[in-house]
């Protein structure tokens, strides 16, 4: 996991800009109807992405939609990790605006562009 990032650097931090766009790990456990230890395991297994904001590990809410983790998220996270991305860099990649997608890769993962996002993540290793 990445270290805590000071709140005053918030404008430069990747991820949702709105604080309501973030979930704490207990919130995720409740949303997914899982134990907190299972959420920690999912993070270790790169099924979820958590970063520290204001000293608390948080997960972008849009990565946990409809009471489930986005289908292609674990594959994309593993591809980015294989390319050498740490959690903050992976988050920055997921939330970087891309004019050829409808917004960001994170937003595209929830739609019919998910496979394209996965292909692009795979291409980062080369």
């Amino acid at each position: 996991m990445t270290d805590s990032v000071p709140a005053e650097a918030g404008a430069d931090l990747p991820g949702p800009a709105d604080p309501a766009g973030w979930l704490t790990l207990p919130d995720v456990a409740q949303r997914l109807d899982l134990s907190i230890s299972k959420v920690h395991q999912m993070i270790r297994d790169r099924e979820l992405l958590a970063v520290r904001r204001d000293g608390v590990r948080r997960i972008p809410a849009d990565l946990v939609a409809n009471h489930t983790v986005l289908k292609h998220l674990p594959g994309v996270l593993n591809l980015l990790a294989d390319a050498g991305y740490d959690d903050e860099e992976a988050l920055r990649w997921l939330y970087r605006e891309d004019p050829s997608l409808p917004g960001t890769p994170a937003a595209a993962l929830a739609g019919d562009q998910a496979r394209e996002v996965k292909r692009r993540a795979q291409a980062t290793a080369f």
Side-chain angles (χ1 to χ4, degrees):
M1 263 328 91
T2 55
D3 290 330
S4 180
V5 180
E8 59 270 13
D12 297 334
L13 297 175
D18 181 6
W22 293 92
L23 298 171
T24 63
L25 302 191
D27 293 337
V28 172
Q30 183 177 13
R31 184 174 283 196
L32 297 178
D33 194 27
L34 298 170
S35 69
I36 191 73
S37 61
K38 177 61 177 166
V39 173
H40 285 277
Q41 184 64 46
M42 292 174 77
I43 294 166
R44 281 191 299 274
D45 293 343
R46 292 191 185 106
E47 295 175 25
L48 277 174
L49 177 65
V51 293
R52 289 198 185 273
R53 295 291 183 263
D54 298 323
V56 178
R57 289 172 74 186
R58 300 181 189 272
I59 296 173
D62 53 352
L63 300 181
V64 185
N66 299 322
H67 302 287
T68 185
V69 175
L70 294 179
K71 180 179 178 180
H72 294 276
L73 180 63
V76 169
L77 293 177
N78 278 298
L79 288 167
L80 292 173
D82 289 348
Y85 284 56
D86 66 20
D87 293 337
E88 285 288 340
E89 291 167 332
L91 190 67
R92 190 173 313 281
W93 187 90
L94 283 167
Y95 283 91
R96 184 180 313 127
E97 288 291 325
D98 187 333
S100 64
L101 292 171
T104 65
L109 276 175
D112 57 353
Q113 292 285 323
R115 292 183 194 275
E116 177 60 23
V117 172
K118 204 168 182 179
R119 280 191 285 275
R120 292 176 187 202
Q122 187 174 23
T124 62
F126 300 103

